Amino acid sequence: MPTRFFDEKVSRCILSELFPLDASEQVSHIAVPRFDAVMVYAGDRVPVLYDMLCATERCTEYNKVLVSIADGAVHIVLAQGEKLLLANSYPAVDFTTAEYFIFFAMKSLQLNPEVSTITMMTELSAEEEMSLYRYFKSVERI
């Protein structure tokens, strides 16, 4: 959430409106100064999305498309220049489902894959990489 809207006192309440939380579950937050934002999350481990947000600095393209597929989820960060558009995770039991969420997110934000480089934070099989090359200008790995 934008830093100007963040209030630690209500962060648990806001997160619980989006995700079911156990009463004992810890709610944490971490600043993301690059985007003048604060990431609010459940648990004591910093989410993979934080590392992805930090990795946007290494992307030279105007459209920044970072993806990680792990543990039954696809994690997606989309930015244009210095403006964060999306940082979210979706359930994805297979690569096809992950692709669906990638393209859905991009279409929703009117980003064209044909002029974008997708940056993968996790390994892909040769077949998966070729599938992405059909839609994206380039596929990179960091």
Side-chain angles (χ1 to χ4, degrees):
M1 82 174 44
T3 303
R4 68 182 179 271
F5 297 127
F6 176 71
D7 180 351
E8 186 175 2
K9 296 176 197 123
V10 295
S11 59
R12 179 178 196 79
C13 180
I14 290 171
L15 192 60
S16 68
E17 289 178 14
L18 300 171
F19 304 100
L21 295 174
D22 294 334
S24 63
E25 204 161 10
Q26 177 182 340
V27 172
S28 304
H29 66 278
I30 188 166
V32 187
R34 175 176 175 80
F35 295 110
D36 193 24
V38 176
M39 176 180 279
V40 179
Y41 58 94
D44 56 358
R45 283 188 21 232
V46 176
V48 67
L49 283 171
Y50 178 75
D51 294 332
M52 295 171 68
L53 289 166
C54 294
T56 60
E57 290 180 0
R58 294 187 263 169
C59 299
T60 58
E61 302 282 332
Y62 180 70
N63 288 345
K64 295 165 184 20
V65 181
L66 288 87
V67 174
S68 175
I69 303 170
D71 302 323
V74 59
H75 312 281
I76 303 170
V77 169
L78 301 176
Q80 279 188 319
E82 298 301 312
K83 182 179 178 186
L84 178 63
L85 302 175
L86 174 84
N88 209 346
S89 301
Y90 305 92
V93 295
D94 56 33
F95 184 74
T96 302
T97 305
E99 278 185 313
Y100 167 81
F101 281 113
I102 294 165
F103 293 121
F104 176 77
M106 292 189 72
K107 183 176 181 178
S108 297
L109 295 167
Q110 299 178 349
L111 295 176
N112 184 353
E114 293 175 356
V115 298
S116 303
T117 296
I118 186 168
T119 303
M120 296 301 300
M121 304 282 292
T122 50
E123 293 292 327
L124 293 175
S125 70
E127 183 180 307
E128 292 167 343
E129 188 170 335
M130 287 309 297
S131 178
L132 291 174
Y133 266 114
R134 282 186 254 155
Y135 304 101
F136 286 89
K137 177 177 84 170
S138 181
V139 180
E140 294 183 356
R141 164 92 171 87
I142 56 173

